[in-house]
Amino acid sequence: MNLKTYAEIRRLLSVTSILIQFALDMIVSTLYRPRGLRRRSFARRMLAITARLILRRPAGIIRFPVRLRQTIERLGPTYVKLGQILSLREDLLPRRITYELRNLQTKVPPISYEEAKKVVEGEFNVPLRHIFKEFAPKPVGAASLAQAHIAYLRNGQKVVVKVQRPGIIPIMTSDLRIMQRLAWVLQQIPYIQDFQPQKLIQEFSDYTMKELDFTQEGKHADIFRENFKDDSDVILPKIYWEYTTKKVLTLEFIEGVKPDDTEKLKKLGINGPRVAALGARVVIKQLFVDGFFHGDPHPGNIFIVGTEKFCMIDLGMIGQFTQKTMNAMFLYYYYLIIRDYETASKYMVGLTETTPHSDIAGFRAEIEEIGKRWIGAGFKNYSLGKLILNSMNMGARYKLYFNKDIMLAIKAIVTIEAVGYILDPKMDLARVSLPMMSEIFIGRISPARMAKPILRALPDYLDFIEQAPATLLKTLGMVSSGKFQIEMVEKTVSKAPREPVWKLWIPLVALFLGIVAMSADSPPGGDLALGRSVHLPWASALSFAIAGWYSLRFWRMRKA
């Protein structure tokens, strides 16, 4: 038995011991709990006391969500991270459990200065004084995976250094293997397998291993900075790559005010409504334009810089959409804010993963009804975020499930709405979102955008046209030599005249010429612009008209 296997067995025994204690606590708590309005019988009270004394458990009723949260904290950082992820999954777990899991510890006792120093020196193989001019011994924040210190580079630049806790990787790797084995067992149980425990744990494992590599967080920051390079109101901290490794992340120090620090906001005269609208715009762009978004934009991860600038930090938890998912999510949100609940429900179903037991019709009817209750309600009574979250919560009831990135997106919407309410108690997220959503919608249906896939496929079309004569001659040669035979079957159902084969080339050539003409009208070196594409030159318009007319004619002939 090697050391890795031995360590994993020890960890498994430790986890099992904690889980057994949790089970015993809940058994005793159940015995103490009265059944409905009736008092416990004498026999039940004696059984509860006897069980408590034999099992050495505390007396009294313990709420299941509370004990679950406490048990997760005892299990360590891997399970704390899992609990934090599960707190988002209101589509899978009862709300009373997810609410309690949100109280999982985010601040833990920091490691000592000597331990942090040892990690940094181990990563760079030089003394700490040769890396940083100054390094604050006391951290400004500590979490389950890492802690942050203020430091100064050799050139005097003030930075924040994020240092990973020593020994965290072997513990979490072992825990993840244990979770995956347990998930496999749960997957074999008929009732539980509908909740896809294996997939849930696999998603969590992939996310956690990425978060343990601080270079990934640095790459996320660079991607966000590139996505917002043309927006001067959005700030992302610069990453100092020469001082960054898998266990140490060095980033620019940015001075700002947290959005929930209302006293400082008033003193600085910050325009709350404008910043709230800016935050909503930032999240909408991430979700529906970039498809790459901050998964946890709570007040601790946001700074207001100056009086009207928006800064995001702690970019370890991110979500990413495929183009198909982003389109479905966009259309769901768009039709939701214009209050077309029937269409919105159709696109919401498109975001789910179904099972043989899924009730799609029932789910759609339920979320349409939820949408109707939202009409006319203010933020305090029924916010847009609450509407979306309640709709998602109906999924598990009808056996439809959402993946991790969808739930992260919903959390981003709900969180930025809550942050916006702090800054502007009168903010209506639907009203704030509508102008930008309408702009994105118009951009998506513009001829320029719709022509892009055709332009990308042009090399294939040209290659096909170039090779067509040789392919045709080769095919005719095979037919004449008897290697290839064509059987002509006469259809008597339809006597409609057929167009000559050579005319099939007319719409293709016309479409090609139209695209070329439109491309010539676009800005040099840039994408096709909506304003330009609306006023196409006459050659492009004529070519598209010919292609459309012939396509319609062939379609009618084929239908006949």
Side-chain angles (χ1 to χ4, degrees), residues 18 111 113 116 180 193 221 229 240 250 253 258 292 358 399 537 539 542:
I18 294 172
I111 61 175
Y113 168 71
Q180 287 167 346
Q193 65 186 199
K229 64 181 180 181
Y240 294 92
T250 303
F253 176 85
K258 293 182 179 180
F292 187 88
S358 299
K399 299 295 187 292
L542 179 62

Side-chain angles (χ1 to χ4, degrees), residues 231-233 270-281 307-310 423-424 427 432:
D231 193 335
S232 59
D233 291 332
I270 289 175
N271 187 331
R274 187 183 185 283
V275 176
L278 173 60
R281 176 165 64 83
T307 56
E308 296 181 349
K309 293 185 184 293
F310 194 87
L423 295 166
D424 178 15
M427 187 186 85
V432 171

Side-chain angles (χ1 to χ4, degrees), residues 110-392:
I111 61 175
S112 67
Y113 168 71
E114 290 300 325
E115 289 178 291
K117 177 183 176 183
K118 187 176 180 181
V119 172
V120 176
E121 292 180 340
E123 287 296 291
F124 294 100
N125 294 316
V126 294
L128 185 66
R129 65 180 182 277
H130 293 167
I131 307 170
F132 300 105
K133 185 177 180 180
E134 292 182 34
F135 189 91
K138 186 177 180 180
V140 291
S144 57
L145 299 184
Q147 64 187 40
H149 293 257
I150 300 296
Y152 289 86
L153 301 180
R154 304 300 297 176
N155 61 5
Q157 177 68 45
K158 190 176 183 179
V159 295
V160 176
V161 182
K162 187 174 178 179
V163 182
Q164 190 175 104
R165 287 180 173 270
I168 198 72
I169 293 179
I171 294 174
M172 299 194 78
T173 303
S174 178
D175 283 344
L176 290 174
R177 283 198 293 264
I178 293 172
M179 288 181 184
Q180 287 167 346
R181 291 188 176 95
L182 178 60
W184 183 87
V185 174
L186 295 176
Q187 191 72 36
Q188 313 311 311
I189 302 173
Y191 175 75
I192 297 179
Q193 65 186 199
D194 281 346
F195 293 93
Q196 304 173 335
Q198 269 190 298
K199 183 175 181 181
L200 186 65
I201 293 300
Q202 188 58 52
E203 285 182 351
F204 171 68
S205 298
D206 294 341
Y207 159 73
T208 302
M209 294 312 295
K210 288 179 181 177
E211 193 175 14
L212 286 172
D213 183 354
F214 288 173
T215 61
Q216 291 294 323
E217 183 175 343
K219 291 174 183 177
H220 297 162
D222 285 348
I223 293 172
F224 279 118
R225 190 180 304 103
E226 177 66 20
N227 290 343
F228 286 95
K229 64 181 180 181
D230 297 325
D231 193 335
S232 59
D233 291 332
V234 182
I235 299 174
L236 279 306
K238 177 184 176 182
I239 304 299
Y240 294 92
W241 285 106
E242 61 271 32
Y243 301 98
T244 295
T245 67
K246 289 186 176 182
K247 296 182 180 181
V248 177
L249 176 66
T250 303
L251 59 155
E252 177 186 7
F253 176 85
I254 295 177
E255 189 74 47
V257 182
K258 293 182 179 180
D260 56 352
D261 193 342
T262 52
E263 291 186 5
K264 282 190 177 180
L265 295 178
K266 290 180 180 179
K267 288 180 180 179
L268 295 173
I270 289 175
N271 187 331
R274 187 183 185 283
V275 176
L278 173 60
R281 176 165 64 83
V282 168
V283 170
I284 288 171
K285 181 180 184 301
Q286 291 178 52
L287 293 176
F288 306 128
V289 177
D290 305 327
F292 187 88
F293 54 93
H294 195 319
D296 195 21
H298 63 74
N301 290 338
I302 296 171
F303 287 133
I304 299 171
V305 181
T307 56
E308 296 181 349
K309 293 185 184 293
F310 194 87
C311 174
M312 295 182 292
I313 62 170
D314 198 3
L315 305 172
M317 184 185 290
I318 63 101
Q320 193 164 7
F321 286 154
T322 63
Q323 187 65 44
K324 181 179 178 182
T325 301
M326 183 170 69
N327 289 340
M329 187 70 188
F330 167 80
L331 291 170
Y332 162 67
Y333 188 77
Y334 176 77
Y335 284 109
L336 188 64
I337 63 176
I338 66 172
R339 300 187 177 185
D340 183 349
Y341 304 117
E342 183 177 354
T343 306
S345 69
K346 180 183 75 172
Y347 286 108
M348 179 176 245
V349 169
L351 294 168
T352 64
E353 298 174 8
T354 60
T355 71
H357 308 293
S358 299
D359 179 6
I360 296 176
F363 178 66
R364 288 191 61 178
E366 183 78 33
I367 60 179
E368 285 177 34
E369 182 62 29
I370 291 173
K372 291 174 184 176
R373 292 202 299 267
W374 177 60
I375 296 178
F379 178 89
K380 291 183 179 179
N381 299 319
Y382 213 163
S383 70
L384 177 62
K386 187 176 180 180
L387 166 66
I388 297 173
L389 199 56
N390 286 348
S391 299
M392 294 286 178

Side-chain angles (χ1 to χ4, degrees), residues 4 57 116 141 203 230 233 378 396 408 438 506 511:
K4 182 184 291 187
R57 312 317 302 168
E203 285 182 351
D230 297 325
D233 291 332
L408 279 178
S438 300
I506 294 178
L511 182 63

Side-chain angles (χ1 to χ4, degrees), residues 76-108:
T78 313
Y79 294 87
V80 169
K81 296 300 295 184
L82 177 61
Q84 291 170 346
I85 294 295
L86 290 177
S87 71
L88 309 177
R89 302 308 303 256
E90 293 193 23
D91 60 322
L92 295 177
L93 299 175
R95 185 172 298 176
R96 62 193 181 92
I97 293 178
T98 58
Y99 276 12
E100 183 61 37
L101 292 182
R102 290 174 189 174
N103 296 321
L104 283 168
Q105 57 181 338
T106 54
K107 293 184 178 181
V108 295

Side-chain angles (χ1 to χ4, degrees), residues 62 65-75 100 104:
I62 305 172
V66 173
R67 181 59 81 197
L68 176 63
R69 189 254 306 162
Q70 293 172 346
T71 301
I72 288 174
E73 290 177 343
R74 287 184 62 198
L75 286 169
E100 183 61 37
L104 283 168

Side-chain angles (χ1 to χ4, degrees), residues 330-331 438-451 530 533:
F330 167 80
L331 291 170
S438 300
E439 182 182 344
I440 298 172
F441 188 87
I442 293 172
R444 283 172 179 262
I445 63 174
S446 69
R449 182 182 177 90
M450 297 173 69
L530 176 59
S533 61

